[in-house]
Amino acid sequence: MDFDLVLFVGVGFAAQLIDGAIGMGYGVIASSVLIATGMPPAVASAAVHVTKIPTGIASGLSHWKFGNIDWPVCRRLILPGIAGGIIGASVIALLPIHVIRPLAALYLGLMGIVVILRALRWRQDLAIDTAPKGRPGIVGFLGGLFDSFGGGWGPIVTSSLLLQGREPRRVVGSTNAAEPVVAAVQAAVFSFWLGAATLTTIGSTALAIMVGALLAAPIAAFLVNKLPGRLIAGAVGIILIGLNIPAVVSLIGRLL
């Protein structure tokens, strides 16, 4: 069996296990790995969004089974998320590779910092405001916009909804349930700008990631209240920063 494909199955499994458990990590981890192998950022993001459709559906169904979804919040995330995703996917697809590659690495590295900061503030027993403040629609738009640049739906949407005072378990489930709908539109936009032929060239890679993620989805939904969120989130942040440091250092070197 091809070692690279086994590796990508492992990447998909780990990324979905983390994402399903803490509501963030799948897109940024999978995109970082693909970009680190030399894949153009727009193609990497497109591939990841294609895999998010079936894996996201599996994750959403698993969270639904365990009662982790706040459906009104989920619905209010979807349409704004689609609008942001269309804009973001168009921008990343049209920018030149030599411009977007270091910018994508910088963004993903910053997402790693965001996740670490979230880990430092993580509380499983977070006090819940009986009347959460904030608009999920705005959060959904920003999540869809920045998610197109290599991942960010989870870090932005999950963290923002938690800061609005919403129940953590249902925040994770709602974020995961809305994601495949937004990802499907983003994948269609990428296909339009890049051409369907471009996506077929990385079909085996995307399939391997998808298989790993599908295997992890039900496990993650079960473990959402069992795993130490602080430790997992911290590990995600460290991985993201480590994967993207070389490209960021290269960008800083050129600027100086």
Side-chain angles (χ1 to χ4, degrees):
M1 182 178 292
D2 192 319
F3 175 77
D4 288 340
L5 293 182
V6 174
L7 174 63
F8 287 130
V9 169
V11 168
F13 184 90
Q16 183 58 47
L17 186 66
I18 293 168
D19 189 277
I22 65 173
M24 62 182 76
Y26 180 85
V28 284
I29 290 175
S31 295
S32 292
V33 172
L34 293 179
I35 292 173
T37 64
M39 187 177 291
V43 178
S45 185
V48 170
H49 281 88
V50 169
T51 69
K52 280 184 178 183
I53 301 169
T55 59
I57 291 173
S59 179
L61 289 174
S62 298
H63 280 291
W64 169 70
K65 178 180 179 181
F66 289 103
N68 296 338
I69 300 176
D70 184 334
W71 288 109
V73 171
C74 181
R75 287 192 294 268
R76 292 168 67 187
L77 289 172
I78 291 175
L79 287 180
I82 288 174
I86 291 173
I87 296 172
S90 298
V91 169
I92 190 174
L94 295 175
L95 283 177
I97 291 178
H98 71 277
V99 173
I100 195 60
R101 186 186 297 276
L103 292 179
L106 178 62
Y107 166 74
L108 291 166
L110 290 175
M111 281 293 99
I113 296 175
V114 169
V115 174
I116 289 177
L117 292 176
R118 178 73 191 97
L120 294 176
R121 300 181 59 185
W122 188 277
R123 288 179 55 192
Q124 293 292 84
D125 59 340
L126 183 68
I128 305 301
D129 188 341
T130 55
K133 300 175 176 62
R135 298 181 178 180
I138 296 175
V139 173
F141 177 82
L142 294 176
L145 179 67
F146 289 101
D147 182 61
S148 300
F149 285 80
W153 176 264
I156 291 173
V157 176
T158 300
S159 297
S160 298
L161 292 180
L162 286 173
L163 292 175
Q164 290 179 6
R166 301 179 187 277
E167 200 277 318
R169 179 176 61 92
R170 293 170 71 83
V171 163
V172 172
S174 302
T175 300
N176 277 268
E179 187 171 22
V181 182
V182 178
V185 176
Q186 290 170 308
V189 174
F190 277 120
S191 179
F192 174 78
W193 288 116
L194 301 176
T198 301
L199 299 185
T200 60
T201 61
I202 42 85
S204 59
T205 298
L207 181 61
I209 294 175
M210 193 183 305
V211 168
L214 287 172
L215 292 173
I219 301 173
F222 172 74
L223 295 177
V224 68
N225 284 327
K226 308 295 183 182
L227 298 176
R230 181 192 298 271
L231 295 180
I232 297 176
V236 172
I238 292 171
I239 290 170
L240 293 178
I241 293 171
L243 285 171
N244 292 286
I245 278 179
V248 173
V249 170
S250 176
L251 173 62
I252 294 174
R254 287 200 298 269
L255 294 176
L256 296 178

